Amino acid sequence: MTVAARFEADITPTGTDYDTVRRVIERLSRDYREQPTLETIAADLGRSPSEVQKTFTRWAGLSPKAFLQAVTLDNAKHLLGTEGLPLLDASLELGYSGPGRLHDLFVTHEAMSPGVWKARGEGLTIAYGYHPSPFGTALMMATDRGLAGIAFCDGDEEESAFEDMARRWPKAAYVRDDAKTAPYASRVFDPGRWRADEPLRVVMIGSDFQIRVWEALLDIPMGRAKTYSGIAGEIGSPKAARAVGAAVGRNPLSFVVPCHRAIGASGALTGYHWGLTRKRAMLGWETGRLGAG
DNA sequence: AGCAACAAATATC
DNA sequence: GATATTTGTTGCT
């Protein structure tokens, strides 16, 4: 099944793949100490083990068990010894050695002038639309210069997600235009279409400090993570870990600018604007893509 | 004032 | 001893 086709099947708000997957991840994250069996999890969801197993594997590209290993490593402090904490060693090797090395979305970004930031988006026209994604419904926002924002929501949260985004540039004019944002959605969530010859244009609207942080995030390869303090050191303010955290949290382009790859120094996942479960989901999903690539 | 942090110190098993 | 929990400090919005 192609990725696009899977999105089609995903379009109903409840009972989506992501919905099932999310609940499995929640369960695994909470009870990983007990290493719950597939059978128990399925029983609690009121589904058969094979149903859960299939849905999960189709979505993540790896079994619930492998996923469990990938995300519970946020408690494996010993992996933090080296820079750039590999999420799953074997997969990482695969990701780098293949001819079509799975790097990120090749992103060309430009920073909006501080003027636009200070004017809170005044004079800017932003088209937006809602699209299904592996992590729930994605709200995409674009200016004519490129992609400017991505938000996530489940079910009936579309309004609040929009308001969350619109608050960032309160004076911009917003126009609903799904046709304009749809191409971005299909590009962003389909790793098969992440190519250097067709870079994704994004615009970053934020303060100097924020943009430096977001650029640092773009440097983190898929399936890896960095600590907040590591990022702070990299952008030349080694003591600003906490400020980095705040800036990461304000990242308007979630997923494209991989804010989910920033974790605490202990390996704990700390926070995520669109929900910790979604952060785990993204990390696990990426681990799965690496293994498949 | 308020944070998606951190390191060191202290309490708990 | 190894892990939880608390406390002081921190830089940027």
Side-chain angles (χ1 to χ4, degrees), chain A residues 137-175:
Chain A
T137 303
L139 164 62
M140 322 278 297
M141 291 187 162
T143 72
D144 50 10
R145 317 198 59 162
L147 190 63
I150 303 181
F152 290 100
C153 50
D154 294 311
D156 54 357
E157 298 162 8
E158 297 190 356
E159 270 306 306
S160 59
F162 176 81
E163 277 158 25
D164 186 302
M165 296 302 291
R167 256 198 305 278
R168 296 162 199 242
W169 315 295
K171 297 203 173 159
Y174 293 92
V175 182

Side-chain angles (χ1 to χ4, degrees), chain A residues 78-218:
Chain A
H78 62 275
L79 282 178
L80 275 165
T82 51
E83 262 300 300
L85 175 66
L87 272 180
L88 195 66
D89 284 340
S91 306
L92 194 63
E93 291 309 319
L94 276 176
Y96 278 130
S97 58
R101 171 179 164 235
L102 256 189
H103 190 280
D104 269 286
L105 227 37
F106 289 84
V107 171
T108 59
H109 67 279
E110 58 181 283
M112 275 277 167
S113 67
V116 179
W117 163 244
K118 288 209 181 97
R120 322 218 66 190
E122 182 147 34
L124 222 57
T125 304
I126 297 180
Y128 70 97
Y130 297 92
H131 307 278
S133 89
F135 312 107
T137 303
L139 164 62
M140 322 278 297
M141 291 187 162
T143 72
D144 50 10
R145 317 198 59 162
L147 190 63
I150 303 181
F152 290 100
C153 50
D154 294 311
D156 54 357
E157 298 162 8
E158 297 190 356
E159 270 306 306
S160 59
F162 176 81
E163 277 158 25
D164 186 302
M165 296 302 291
R167 256 198 305 278
R168 296 162 199 242
W169 315 295
K171 297 203 173 159
Y174 293 92
V175 182
R176 174 84 188 241
D177 189 348
D178 287 33
K180 190 162 178 179
T181 50
Y184 286 112
S186 50
R187 273 285 297 292
V188 166
F189 298 112
D190 184 350
R193 298 183 56 193
W194 296 0
R195 324 175 67 89
D197 51 321
E198 203 190 329
L200 178 76
R201 293 169 55 82
V202 307
V203 283
M204 292 180 179
I205 311 173
S207 71
D208 265 9
F209 182 82
Q210 286 172 339
I211 287 173
R212 265 187 295 150
V213 171
W214 300 339
E215 283 171 344
L217 287 175
L218 280 172

